[in-house]
Amino acid sequence: MDGARDRIAGHVRHLRSTVRARETYGLVHGELGPDHVLITPAGEPVMIDFEGLTYFDIEWEHAWLQMRFGYAYPVLRPVDLDPHRLELYRYAQVLSLIEGPLRIADTDFPDRQWMLKLAEWNITKALAVV
Protein backbone atom coordinates (compact mmCIF):
# COMPACT_ATOMS: atom_id res chain seq x y z
CA MET A 1 0.00 0.00 0.00
CA ASP A 2 2.83 2.41 0.81
CA GLY A 3 4.28 1.87 -2.65
CA ALA A 4 0.98 2.87 -4.25
CA ARG A 5 0.71 5.93 -2.01
CA ASP A 6 4.24 7.00 -2.94
CA ARG A 7 3.57 6.50 -6.66
CA ILE A 8 0.33 8.49 -6.47
CA ALA A 9 1.96 11.29 -4.46
CA GLY A 10 4.82 11.43 -6.94
CA HIS A 11 2.38 11.66 -9.83
CA VAL A 12 0.49 14.49 -8.13
CA ARG A 13 3.76 16.35 -7.55
CA HIS A 14 4.69 15.88 -11.21
CA LEU A 15 1.30 17.13 -12.42
CA ARG A 16 1.51 20.13 -10.08
CA SER A 17 5.01 20.99 -11.32
CA THR A 18 3.64 21.51 -14.85
CA VAL A 19 1.03 24.08 -13.76
CA ARG A 20 1.98 27.74 -14.10
CA ALA A 21 0.68 30.60 -11.95
CA ARG A 22 -2.50 32.30 -13.08
CA GLU A 23 -4.10 35.61 -12.17
CA THR A 24 -7.58 35.21 -13.66
CA TYR A 25 -10.29 32.85 -12.55
CA GLY A 26 -13.82 31.99 -13.54
CA LEU A 27 -17.01 31.41 -11.62
CA VAL A 28 -17.39 27.64 -11.25
CA HIS A 29 -20.20 25.49 -9.91
CA GLY A 30 -17.92 22.71 -8.74
CA GLU A 31 -19.97 19.73 -9.90
CA LEU A 32 -22.07 21.05 -12.75
CA GLY A 33 -24.17 18.45 -14.50
CA PRO A 34 -27.53 18.03 -16.21
CA ASP A 35 -29.27 17.66 -12.85
CA HIS A 36 -28.02 21.11 -11.79
CA VAL A 37 -29.63 23.02 -14.65
CA LEU A 38 -33.36 23.53 -15.06
CA ILE A 39 -35.06 25.06 -18.07
CA THR A 40 -37.77 27.66 -17.48
CA PRO A 41 -41.01 27.63 -19.49
CA ALA A 42 -39.42 30.42 -21.58
CA GLY A 43 -36.48 28.14 -22.43
CA GLU A 44 -33.96 29.91 -20.21
CA PRO A 45 -31.40 27.75 -18.36
CA VAL A 46 -31.33 28.24 -14.59
CA MET A 47 -28.49 26.86 -12.47
CA ILE A 48 -29.55 25.22 -9.21
CA ASP A 49 -27.76 23.57 -6.28
CA PHE A 50 -24.83 25.96 -6.31
CA GLU A 51 -23.74 26.13 -2.69
CA GLY A 52 -20.17 25.40 -3.82
CA LEU A 53 -20.12 28.27 -6.33
CA THR A 54 -16.73 29.98 -6.24
CA TYR A 55 -14.12 31.79 -8.29
CA PHE A 56 -11.58 29.17 -9.24
CA ASP A 57 -9.81 27.64 -12.22
CA ILE A 58 -12.32 26.80 -14.92
CA GLU A 59 -10.37 23.61 -15.59
CA TRP A 60 -11.78 22.20 -12.35
CA GLU A 61 -15.31 22.45 -13.74
CA HIS A 62 -14.27 21.06 -17.10
CA ALA A 63 -12.48 18.09 -15.52
CA TRP A 64 -15.79 17.27 -13.83
CA LEU A 65 -17.79 17.87 -17.01
CA GLN A 66 -15.49 15.58 -19.00
CA MET A 67 -15.92 12.84 -16.43
CA ARG A 68 -19.67 13.39 -16.17
CA PHE A 69 -20.46 13.63 -19.89
CA GLY A 70 -17.75 11.38 -21.36
CA TYR A 71 -18.00 11.09 -25.13
CA ALA A 72 -20.73 13.79 -25.22
CA TYR A 73 -18.50 16.43 -23.60
CA PRO A 74 -17.49 18.11 -26.93
CA VAL A 75 -21.16 19.01 -27.52
CA LEU A 76 -20.77 21.53 -24.68
CA ARG A 77 -18.36 23.48 -26.89
CA PRO A 78 -15.65 23.81 -24.24
CA VAL A 79 -13.49 26.90 -24.02
CA ASP A 80 -9.71 27.04 -24.36
CA LEU A 81 -8.24 25.31 -21.30
CA ASP A 82 -4.79 24.92 -19.79
CA PRO A 83 -4.05 21.23 -20.53
CA HIS A 84 -1.63 20.83 -17.60
CA ARG A 85 -4.03 22.30 -15.08
CA LEU A 86 -6.86 20.23 -16.55
CA GLU A 87 -4.85 17.02 -16.18
CA LEU A 88 -4.02 17.85 -12.54
CA TYR A 89 -7.69 18.42 -11.76
CA ARG A 90 -8.78 15.27 -13.60
CA TYR A 91 -6.45 13.25 -11.41
CA ALA A 92 -7.51 15.11 -8.25
CA GLN A 93 -11.12 14.23 -8.98
CA VAL A 94 -10.24 10.56 -9.46
CA LEU A 95 -8.59 10.64 -6.03
CA SER A 96 -11.64 12.39 -4.61
CA LEU A 97 -13.80 9.59 -5.95
CA ILE A 98 -11.79 7.15 -3.88
CA GLU A 99 -11.88 9.01 -0.57
CA GLY A 100 -15.50 10.16 -0.78
CA PRO A 101 -17.07 6.77 -1.51
CA LEU A 102 -14.90 5.05 1.11
CA ARG A 103 -15.99 7.61 3.69
CA ILE A 104 -19.65 7.21 2.70
CA ALA A 105 -19.35 3.39 2.76
CA ASP A 106 -18.45 3.66 6.45
CA THR A 107 -21.82 5.24 7.21
CA ASP A 108 -25.34 3.82 7.04
CA PHE A 109 -25.57 4.60 3.31
CA PRO A 110 -28.08 2.11 1.87
CA ASP A 111 -25.91 0.85 -1.03
CA ARG A 112 -22.50 0.38 0.56
CA GLN A 113 -21.38 -2.06 -2.16
CA TRP A 114 -21.98 0.53 -4.88
CA MET A 115 -19.75 3.00 -3.04
CA LEU A 116 -17.03 0.38 -2.60
CA LYS A 117 -17.19 -0.49 -6.31
CA LEU A 118 -16.92 3.20 -7.22
CA ALA A 119 -13.87 3.58 -4.99
CA GLU A 120 -12.29 0.43 -6.44
CA TRP A 121 -12.89 1.60 -10.01
CA ASN A 122 -11.17 4.92 -9.22
CA ILE A 123 -8.31 3.19 -7.41
CA THR A 124 -7.71 1.26 -10.64
CA LYS A 125 -7.82 4.52 -12.63
CA ALA A 126 -5.44 6.27 -10.21
CA LEU A 127 -2.91 3.45 -10.31
CA ALA A 128 -3.12 2.98 -14.07
CA VAL A 129 -1.23 6.22 -14.72
CA VAL A 130 1.53 5.81 -12.14
Side-chain angles (χ1 to χ4, degrees):
M1 185 63 98
D2 284 336
R5 180 178 31 200
D6 292 343
R7 291 189 340 252
I8 289 169
H11 187 62
V12 170
R13 281 191 297 275
H14 164 72
L15 291 172
R16 174 58 186 99
S17 74
T18 66
V19 175
R20 301 295 163 237
R22 161 184 284 169
E23 293 184 18
T24 60
Y25 302 92
L27 190 62
V28 299
H29 183 278
E31 56 174 14
L32 188 60
D35 52 342
H36 292 139
V37 179
L38 297 178
I39 305 299
T40 69
E44 299 280 327
V46 177
M47 191 173 7
I48 63 167
D49 185 24
F50 51 83
E51 69 277 352
L53 196 68
T54 188
Y55 281 100
F56 193 57
D57 295 325
I58 59 172
E59 289 83 2
W60 179 262
E61 193 80 72
H62 284 270
W64 175 262
L65 290 169
Q66 286 176 355
M67 180 177 54
R68 187 85 187 253
F69 287 95
Y71 71 89
Y73 170 76
V75 173
L76 299 174
R77 296 186 302 268
V79 296
D80 188 31
L81 302 168
D82 175 339
H84 300 292
R85 194 176 302 269
L86 182 62
E87 191 57 33
L88 172 64
Y89 291 150
R90 276 192 205 124
Y91 197 69
Q93 290 181 10
V94 166
L95 296 178
S96 174
L97 287 170
I98 297 168
E99 184 277 332
L102 288 176
R103 184 174 26 84
I104 292 169
D106 280 342
T107 69
D108 60 353
F109 185 76
D111 196 351
R112 182 175 191 273
Q113 282 308 117
W114 189 87
M115 285 294 168
L116 293 174
K117 287 179 186 175
L118 179 60
E120 185 66 33
W121 186 62
N122 281 286
I123 289 169
T124 301
K125 283 175 60 176
L127 293 174
V129 298
V130 297

PDB file of all heavy atoms in Angstrom, residues 99-123:
ATOM      1  N   GLU A  99     -11.679   8.623  -1.973  1.00  0.00           N
ATOM      2  CA  GLU A  99     -11.878   9.010  -0.574  1.00  0.00           C
ATOM      3  C   GLU A  99     -13.358   9.175  -0.239  1.00  0.00           C
ATOM      4  O   GLU A  99     -13.829   8.647   0.774  1.00  0.00           O
ATOM      5  CB  GLU A  99     -11.120  10.322  -0.299  1.00  0.00           C
ATOM      6  CG  GLU A  99     -11.177  10.776   1.146  1.00  0.00           C
ATOM      7  CD  GLU A  99     -12.442  11.545   1.506  1.00  0.00           C
ATOM      8  OE1 GLU A  99     -13.036  12.192   0.626  1.00  0.00           O
ATOM      9  OE2 GLU A  99     -12.839  11.476   2.685  1.00  0.00           O
ATOM     10  N   GLY A 100     -14.084   9.890  -1.067  1.00  0.00           N
ATOM     11  CA  GLY A 100     -15.500  10.156  -0.782  1.00  0.00           C
ATOM     12  C   GLY A 100     -16.330   8.885  -0.639  1.00  0.00           C
ATOM     13  O   GLY A 100     -17.009   8.689   0.379  1.00  0.00           O
ATOM     14  N   PRO A 101     -16.296   8.012  -1.636  1.00  0.00           N
ATOM     15  CA  PRO A 101     -17.072   6.773  -1.512  1.00  0.00           C
ATOM     16  C   PRO A 101     -16.642   5.889  -0.337  1.00  0.00           C
ATOM     17  O   PRO A 101     -17.485   5.266   0.302  1.00  0.00           O
ATOM     18  CB  PRO A 101     -16.829   6.069  -2.850  1.00  0.00           C
ATOM     19  CG  PRO A 101     -16.597   7.196  -3.808  1.00  0.00           C
ATOM     20  CD  PRO A 101     -15.811   8.206  -3.005  1.00  0.00           C
ATOM     21  N   LEU A 102     -15.332   5.846  -0.045  1.00  0.00           N
ATOM     22  CA  LEU A 102     -14.898   5.047   1.108  1.00  0.00           C
ATOM     23  C   LEU A 102     -15.443   5.627   2.412  1.00  0.00           C
ATOM     24  O   LEU A 102     -15.863   4.889   3.308  1.00  0.00           O
ATOM     25  CB  LEU A 102     -13.379   4.957   1.161  1.00  0.00           C
ATOM     26  CG  LEU A 102     -12.735   4.082   0.090  1.00  0.00           C
ATOM     27  CD1 LEU A 102     -11.210   4.154   0.188  1.00  0.00           C
ATOM     28  CD2 LEU A 102     -13.222   2.639   0.162  1.00  0.00           C
ATOM     29  N   ARG A 103     -15.453   6.949   2.498  1.00  0.00           N
ATOM     30  CA  ARG A 103     -15.987   7.607   3.695  1.00  0.00           C
ATOM     31  C   ARG A 103     -17.488   7.331   3.813  1.00  0.00           C
ATOM     32  O   ARG A 103     -17.996   7.001   4.885  1.00  0.00           O
ATOM     33  CB  ARG A 103     -15.712   9.112   3.634  1.00  0.00           C
ATOM     34  CG  ARG A 103     -16.137   9.880   4.845  1.00  0.00           C
ATOM     35  CD  ARG A 103     -15.726  11.348   4.805  1.00  0.00           C
ATOM     36  NE  ARG A 103     -15.533  11.944   3.498  1.00  0.00           N
ATOM     37  CZ  ARG A 103     -16.511  12.447   2.732  1.00  0.00           C
ATOM     38  NH1 ARG A 103     -17.755  12.396   3.141  1.00  0.00           N
ATOM     39  NH2 ARG A 103     -16.239  12.998   1.566  1.00  0.00           N
ATOM     40  N   ILE A 104     -18.202   7.444   2.697  1.00  0.00           N
ATOM     41  CA  ILE A 104     -19.650   7.207   2.700  1.00  0.00           C
ATOM     42  C   ILE A 104     -19.957   5.743   3.018  1.00  0.00           C
ATOM     43  O   ILE A 104     -20.921   5.438   3.723  1.00  0.00           O
ATOM     44  CB  ILE A 104     -20.262   7.634   1.349  1.00  0.00           C
ATOM     45  CG1 ILE A 104     -20.170   9.159   1.211  1.00  0.00           C
ATOM     46  CG2 ILE A 104     -21.707   7.153   1.227  1.00  0.00           C
ATOM     47  CD1 ILE A 104     -20.495   9.681  -0.181  1.00  0.00           C
ATOM     48  N   ALA A 105     -19.136   4.828   2.513  1.00  0.00           N
ATOM     49  CA  ALA A 105     -19.352   3.394   2.757  1.00  0.00           C
ATOM     50  C   ALA A 105     -19.234   3.050   4.240  1.00  0.00           C
ATOM     51  O   ALA A 105     -19.769   2.031   4.675  1.00  0.00           O
ATOM     52  CB  ALA A 105     -18.366   2.561   1.936  1.00  0.00           C
ATOM     53  N   ASP A 106     -18.574   3.890   5.007  1.00  0.00           N
ATOM     54  CA  ASP A 106     -18.447   3.659   6.448  1.00  0.00           C
ATOM     55  C   ASP A 106     -19.621   4.224   7.245  1.00  0.00           C
ATOM     56  O   ASP A 106     -19.591   4.242   8.471  1.00  0.00           O
ATOM     57  CB  ASP A 106     -17.144   4.267   6.977  1.00  0.00           C
ATOM     58  CG  ASP A 106     -15.946   3.379   6.698  1.00  0.00           C
ATOM     59  OD1 ASP A 106     -16.140   2.173   6.419  1.00  0.00           O
ATOM     60  OD2 ASP A 106     -14.815   3.889   6.770  1.00  0.00           O
ATOM     61  N   THR A 107     -20.627   4.709   6.541  1.00  0.00           N
ATOM     62  CA  THR A 107     -21.823   5.238   7.209  1.00  0.00           C
ATOM     63  C   THR A 107     -22.962   4.237   7.011  1.00  0.00           C
ATOM     64  O   THR A 107     -22.751   3.115   6.564  1.00  0.00           O
ATOM     65  CB  THR A 107     -22.220   6.608   6.609  1.00  0.00           C
ATOM     66  OG1 THR A 107     -22.701   6.418   5.270  1.00  0.00           O
ATOM     67  CG2 THR A 107     -21.049   7.582   6.611  1.00  0.00           C
ATOM     68  N   ASP A 108     -24.174   4.685   7.251  1.00  0.00           N
ATOM     69  CA  ASP A 108     -25.335   3.817   7.040  1.00  0.00           C
ATOM     70  C   ASP A 108     -25.936   3.999   5.644  1.00  0.00           C
ATOM     71  O   ASP A 108     -27.110   3.709   5.416  1.00  0.00           O
ATOM     72  CB  ASP A 108     -26.390   4.062   8.123  1.00  0.00           C
ATOM     73  CG  ASP A 108     -26.899   5.496   8.138  1.00  0.00           C
ATOM     74  OD1 ASP A 108     -26.359   6.348   7.408  1.00  0.00           O
ATOM     75  OD2 ASP A 108     -27.844   5.772   8.912  1.00  0.00           O
ATOM     76  N   PHE A 109     -25.119   4.450   4.695  1.00  0.00           N
ATOM     77  CA  PHE A 109     -25.572   4.603   3.308  1.00  0.00           C
ATOM     78  C   PHE A 109     -26.197   3.287   2.844  1.00  0.00           C
ATOM     79  O   PHE A 109     -25.630   2.218   3.067  1.00  0.00           O
ATOM     80  CB  PHE A 109     -24.376   4.996   2.421  1.00  0.00           C
ATOM     81  CG  PHE A 109     -24.750   5.300   1.005  1.00  0.00           C
ATOM     82  CD1 PHE A 109     -25.354   6.503   0.682  1.00  0.00           C
ATOM     83  CD2 PHE A 109     -24.504   4.387  -0.006  1.00  0.00           C
ATOM     84  CE1 PHE A 109     -25.702   6.794  -0.626  1.00  0.00           C
ATOM     85  CE2 PHE A 109     -24.844   4.667  -1.316  1.00  0.00           C
ATOM     86  CZ  PHE A 109     -25.444   5.877  -1.630  1.00  0.00           C
ATOM     87  N   PRO A 110     -27.354   3.338   2.188  1.00  0.00           N
ATOM     88  CA  PRO A 110     -28.075   2.106   1.868  1.00  0.00           C
ATOM     89  C   PRO A 110     -27.417   1.186   0.834  1.00  0.00           C
ATOM     90  O   PRO A 110     -27.712   0.000   0.811  1.00  0.00           O
ATOM     91  CB  PRO A 110     -29.428   2.607   1.358  1.00  0.00           C
ATOM     92  CG  PRO A 110     -29.207   4.024   0.983  1.00  0.00           C
ATOM     93  CD  PRO A 110     -28.088   4.533   1.838  1.00  0.00           C
ATOM     94  N   ASP A 111     -26.532   1.714  -0.016  1.00  0.00           N
ATOM     95  CA  ASP A 111     -25.909   0.853  -1.027  1.00  0.00           C
ATOM     96  C   ASP A 111     -24.389   0.904  -0.877  1.00  0.00           C
ATOM     97  O   ASP A 111     -23.661   1.402  -1.743  1.00  0.00           O
ATOM     98  CB  ASP A 111     -26.335   1.280  -2.432  1.00  0.00           C
ATOM     99  CG  ASP A 111     -26.042   0.225  -3.479  1.00  0.00           C
ATOM    100  OD1 ASP A 111     -25.345  -0.778  -3.165  1.00  0.00           O
ATOM    101  OD2 ASP A 111     -26.491   0.388  -4.623  1.00  0.00           O
ATOM    102  N   ARG A 112     -23.930   0.372   0.218  1.00  0.00           N
ATOM    103  CA  ARG A 112     -22.505   0.380   0.557  1.00  0.00           C
ATOM    104  C   ARG A 112     -21.667  -0.265  -0.550  1.00  0.00           C
ATOM    105  O   ARG A 112     -20.600   0.228  -0.892  1.00  0.00           O
ATOM    106  CB  ARG A 112     -22.300  -0.349   1.886  1.00  0.00           C
ATOM    107  CG  ARG A 112     -20.877  -0.371   2.358  1.00  0.00           C
ATOM    108  CD  ARG A 112     -20.786  -1.015   3.748  1.00  0.00           C
ATOM    109  NE  ARG A 112     -19.486  -0.809   4.316  1.00  0.00           N
ATOM    110  CZ  ARG A 112     -18.447  -1.619   4.094  1.00  0.00           C
ATOM    111  NH1 ARG A 112     -18.586  -2.680   3.333  1.00  0.00           N
ATOM    112  NH2 ARG A 112     -17.276  -1.347   4.647  1.00  0.00           N
ATOM    113  N   GLN A 113     -22.140  -1.353  -1.122  1.00  0.00           N
ATOM    114  CA  GLN A 113     -21.381  -2.061  -2.164  1.00  0.00           C
ATOM    115  C   GLN A 113     -21.152  -1.173  -3.387  1.00  0.00           C
ATOM    116  O   GLN A 113     -20.088  -1.219  -3.990  1.00  0.00           O
ATOM    117  CB  GLN A 113     -22.077  -3.358  -2.572  1.00  0.00           C
ATOM    118  CG  GLN A 113     -21.868  -4.486  -1.593  1.00  0.00           C
ATOM    119  CD  GLN A 113     -20.395  -4.724  -1.272  1.00  0.00           C
ATOM    120  OE1 GLN A 113     -19.979  -4.573  -0.128  1.00  0.00           O
ATOM    121  NE2 GLN A 113     -19.592  -5.075  -2.250  1.00  0.00           N
ATOM    122  N   TRP A 114     -22.135  -0.373  -3.732  1.00  0.00           N
ATOM    123  CA  TRP A 114     -21.981   0.525  -4.878  1.00  0.00           C
ATOM    124  C   TRP A 114     -20.854   1.522  -4.613  1.00  0.00           C
ATOM    125  O   TRP A 114     -20.021   1.786  -5.484  1.00  0.00           O
ATOM    126  CB  TRP A 114     -23.295   1.255  -5.161  1.00  0.00           C
ATOM    127  CG  TRP A 114     -23.268   2.021  -6.437  1.00  0.00           C
ATOM    128  CD1 TRP A 114     -23.557   1.562  -7.679  1.00  0.00           C
ATOM    129  CD2 TRP A 114     -22.897   3.404  -6.599  1.00  0.00           C
ATOM    130  NE1 TRP A 114     -23.400   2.571  -8.612  1.00  0.00           N
ATOM    131  CE2 TRP A 114     -22.992   3.709  -7.977  1.00  0.00           C
ATOM    132  CE3 TRP A 114     -22.497   4.401  -5.715  1.00  0.00           C
ATOM    133  CZ2 TRP A 114     -22.708   4.971  -8.481  1.00  0.00           C
ATOM    134  CZ3 TRP A 114     -22.210   5.665  -6.232  1.00  0.00           C
ATOM    135  CH2 TRP A 114     -22.318   5.930  -7.598  1.00  0.00           C
ATOM    136  N   MET A 115     -20.811   2.059  -3.397  1.00  0.00           N
ATOM    137  CA  MET A 115     -19.750   3.000  -3.039  1.00  0.00           C
ATOM    138  C   MET A 115     -18.385   2.319  -3.073  1.00  0.00           C
ATOM    139  O   MET A 115     -17.405   2.902  -3.542  1.00  0.00           O
ATOM    140  CB  MET A 115     -20.001   3.607  -1.662  1.00  0.00           C
ATOM    141  CG  MET A 115     -21.087   4.631  -1.642  1.00  0.00           C
ATOM    142  SD  MET A 115     -20.591   6.084  -2.630  1.00  0.00           S
ATOM    143  CE  MET A 115     -22.139   6.927  -2.715  1.00  0.00           C
ATOM    144  N   LEU A 116     -18.309   1.103  -2.581  1.00  0.00           N
ATOM    145  CA  LEU A 116     -17.033   0.384  -2.597  1.00  0.00           C
ATOM    146  C   LEU A 116     -16.588   0.084  -4.024  1.00  0.00           C
ATOM    147  O   LEU A 116     -15.395   0.186  -4.344  1.00  0.00           O
ATOM    148  CB  LEU A 116     -17.144  -0.902  -1.779  1.00  0.00           C
ATOM    149  CG  LEU A 116     -17.335  -0.701  -0.277  1.00  0.00           C
ATOM    150  CD1 LEU A 116     -17.582  -2.036   0.415  1.00  0.00           C
ATOM    151  CD2 LEU A 116     -16.146   0.032   0.334  1.00  0.00           C
ATOM    152  N   LYS A 117     -17.531  -0.252  -4.896  1.00  0.00           N
ATOM    153  CA  LYS A 117     -17.185  -0.494  -6.307  1.00  0.00           C
ATOM    154  C   LYS A 117     -16.712   0.792  -6.978  1.00  0.00           C
ATOM    155  O   LYS A 117     -15.780   0.767  -7.788  1.00  0.00           O
ATOM    156  CB  LYS A 117     -18.378  -1.077  -7.067  1.00  0.00           C
ATOM    157  CG  LYS A 117     -18.662  -2.511  -6.729  1.00  0.00           C
ATOM    158  CD  LYS A 117     -19.866  -3.016  -7.486  1.00  0.00           C
ATOM    159  CE  LYS A 117     -20.232  -4.410  -7.029  1.00  0.00           C
ATOM    160  NZ  LYS A 117     -21.464  -4.877  -7.662  1.00  0.00           N
ATOM    161  N   LEU A 118     -17.350   1.912  -6.666  1.00  0.00           N
ATOM    162  CA  LEU A 118     -16.923   3.200  -7.222  1.00  0.00           C
ATOM    163  C   LEU A 118     -15.508   3.531  -6.767  1.00  0.00           C
ATOM    164  O   LEU A 118     -14.661   3.947  -7.573  1.00  0.00           O
ATOM    165  CB  LEU A 118     -17.895   4.305  -6.795  1.00  0.00           C
ATOM    166  CG  LEU A 118     -17.572   5.715  -7.275  1.00  0.00           C
ATOM    167  CD1 LEU A 118     -17.535   5.789  -8.801  1.00  0.00           C
ATOM    168  CD2 LEU A 118     -18.582   6.709  -6.710  1.00  0.00           C
ATOM    169  N   ALA A 119     -15.226   3.329  -5.507  1.00  0.00           N
ATOM    170  CA  ALA A 119     -13.873   3.578  -4.989  1.00  0.00           C
ATOM    171  C   ALA A 119     -12.872   2.657  -5.676  1.00  0.00           C
ATOM    172  O   ALA A 119     -11.804   3.112  -6.110  1.00  0.00           O
ATOM    173  CB  ALA A 119     -13.843   3.383  -3.482  1.00  0.00           C
ATOM    174  N   GLU A 120     -13.187   1.396  -5.800  1.00  0.00           N
ATOM    175  CA  GLU A 120     -12.285   0.432  -6.439  1.00  0.00           C
ATOM    176  C   GLU A 120     -12.013   0.795  -7.895  1.00  0.00           C
ATOM    177  O   GLU A 120     -10.881   0.724  -8.362  1.00  0.00           O
ATOM    178  CB  GLU A 120     -12.871  -0.981  -6.344  1.00  0.00           C
ATOM    179  CG  GLU A 120     -11.955  -2.051  -6.871  1.00  0.00           C
ATOM    180  CD  GLU A 120     -10.687  -2.223  -6.040  1.00  0.00           C
ATOM    181  OE1 GLU A 120     -10.741  -2.035  -4.808  1.00  0.00           O
ATOM    182  OE2 GLU A 120      -9.637  -2.540  -6.630  1.00  0.00           O
ATOM    183  N   TRP A 121     -13.043   1.205  -8.608  1.00  0.00           N
ATOM    184  CA  TRP A 121     -12.886   1.604 -10.007  1.00  0.00           C
ATOM    185  C   TRP A 121     -11.933   2.797 -10.114  1.00  0.00           C
ATOM    186  O   TRP A 121     -11.065   2.839 -10.986  1.00  0.00           O
ATOM    187  CB  TRP A 121     -14.259   1.943 -10.595  1.00  0.00           C
ATOM    188  CG  TRP A 121     -14.248   2.217 -12.053  1.00  0.00           C
ATOM    189  CD1 TRP A 121     -13.885   1.359 -13.064  1.00  0.00           C
ATOM    190  CD2 TRP A 121     -14.616   3.437 -12.693  1.00  0.00           C
ATOM    191  NE1 TRP A 121     -14.016   1.975 -14.278  1.00  0.00           N
ATOM    192  CE2 TRP A 121     -14.466   3.239 -14.087  1.00  0.00           C
ATOM    193  CE3 TRP A 121     -15.070   4.657 -12.237  1.00  0.00           C
ATOM    194  CZ2 TRP A 121     -14.747   4.238 -15.005  1.00  0.00           C
ATOM    195  CZ3 TRP A 121     -15.356   5.654 -13.159  1.00  0.00           C
ATOM    196  CH2 TRP A 121     -15.193   5.443 -14.521  1.00  0.00           C
ATOM    197  N   ASN A 122     -12.051   3.749  -9.194  1.00  0.00           N
ATOM    198  CA  ASN A 122     -11.174   4.920  -9.218  1.00  0.00           C
ATOM    199  C   ASN A 122      -9.787   4.605  -8.704  1.00  0.00           C
ATOM    200  O   ASN A 122      -8.817   5.230  -9.149  1.00  0.00           O
ATOM    201  CB  ASN A 122     -11.831   6.084  -8.476  1.00  0.00           C
ATOM    202  CG  ASN A 122     -12.875   6.744  -9.358  1.00  0.00           C
ATOM    203  OD1 ASN A 122     -12.533   7.451 -10.287  1.00  0.00           O
ATOM    204  ND2 ASN A 122     -14.143   6.448  -9.101  1.00  0.00           N
ATOM    205  N   ILE A 123      -9.640   3.645  -7.810  1.00  0.00           N
ATOM    206  CA  ILE A 123      -8.309   3.188  -7.412  1.00  0.00           C
ATOM    207  C   ILE A 123      -7.587   2.622  -8.626  1.00  0.00           C
ATOM    208  O   ILE A 123      -6.423   2.936  -8.884  1.00  0.00           O
ATOM    209  CB  ILE A 123      -8.395   2.139  -6.278  1.00  0.00           C
ATOM    210  CG1 ILE A 123      -8.825   2.803  -4.973  1.00  0.00           C
ATOM    211  CG2 ILE A 123      -7.070   1.405  -6.113  1.00  0.00           C
ATOM    212  CD1 ILE A 123      -9.200   1.825  -3.864  1.00  0.00           C
TER     213      ILE A 123
END
